[in-house]
Amino acid sequence: VVLSVLCGKRNCIEFGVDCVRWIMSQLKIDIHNHILPETWPDLKERYGYGGWIQLQHHCKGKAKMMKDGQLFRVIDENCWSPEARIRDMDNTGVTVQALSTVPVMFSYWAKPEDTLDLCRIINNDIASTVGKYPTRFVGLATLPMQAPELAVQELKRCV
């Protein structure tokens, strides 16, 4: 999609390798970026046990990542707002970002079914962002790797 939009053609590949090379030379791709949903359910309440990260928006453009009531990290709005992220990308000349979640959200320590549920929340949010801005973002799925069968199930859903 990114290639054909930049090229202005429906299917850039049919126009040959030279077209693809030119387009690729115009791109600046940032492959390591973390994003979170702006909000998500109270996971301790949802699953019945602690250890989960929650987001507390406490002032404009900032939020606290909290773990069991303790501050884990303060983040800026570009960690949940694709529009803020695009402004940053434009300021640094980045054409496309590959998005994945913040590693603390992997939750491999949790019950597999709960991690799968959280992965779905995160992956749906990333898919929504990519769907809204398909020429600026590509998504990387989060999977419940402590349960290979569930990981395969979620990977198939995301593809």
Side-chain angles (χ1 to χ4, degrees):
V1 172
V2 173
L3 296 180
S4 57
V5 168
L6 287 172
C7 185
K9 314 238 189 268
R10 278 189 51 154
N11 182 356
C12 189
I13 302 304
E14 73 187 46
F15 294 95
V17 173
D18 290 335
C19 180
V20 173
R21 283 190 183 132
W22 178 84
I23 291 169
M24 293 304 290
S25 74
Q26 305 305 303
L27 296 176
K28 184 176 179 183
I29 302 171
D30 187 348
I31 62 166
H32 187 178
N33 297 278
H34 300 296
I35 194 165
L36 292 167
E38 185 170 1
T39 62
W40 60 85
D42 181 321
L43 301 177
K44 182 176 183 178
E45 191 175 288
R46 187 176 180 109
Y47 305 133
Y49 57 99
W52 306 97
I53 296 290
Q54 289 302 136
L55 209 54
Q56 290 181 355
H57 296 272
H58 65 283
C59 66
K60 184 172 174 45
K62 299 271 187 195
K64 295 176 183 176
M65 293 177 74
M66 305 293 290
K67 183 175 180 181
D68 294 327
Q70 300 295 313
L71 178 64
F72 177 75
R73 180 181 304 149
V74 175
I75 59 173
D76 295 321
E77 71 176 333
N78 65 0
C79 198
W80 69 81
S81 167
E83 294 79 15
R85 186 171 288 273
I86 288 171
R87 284 191 303 273
D88 291 347
M89 292 166 63
D90 290 345
N91 288 336
T92 58
V94 172
T95 315
V96 177
Q97 282 187 342
L99 303 175
S100 61
T101 196
V102 178
V104 71
M105 300 300 285
F106 294 162
S107 305
Y108 298 146
W109 54 269
K111 295 176 187 174
E113 303 79 26
D114 298 338
T115 304
L116 174 62
D117 182 61
L118 178 57
C119 288
R120 288 179 177 153
I121 292 168
I122 292 166
N123 292 336
N124 289 346
D125 184 71
I126 290 174
S128 175
T129 298
V130 171
K132 190 172 182 182
Y133 302 103
T135 63
R136 301 307 303 267
F137 300 115
V138 295
L140 302 174
T142 300
L143 305 172
M145 296 302 287
Q146 74 270 47
E149 302 82 18
L150 295 178
V152 169
Q153 175 188 330
E154 180 61 3
L155 183 59
K156 287 179 179 178
R157 187 186 77 89
C158 290
V159 175

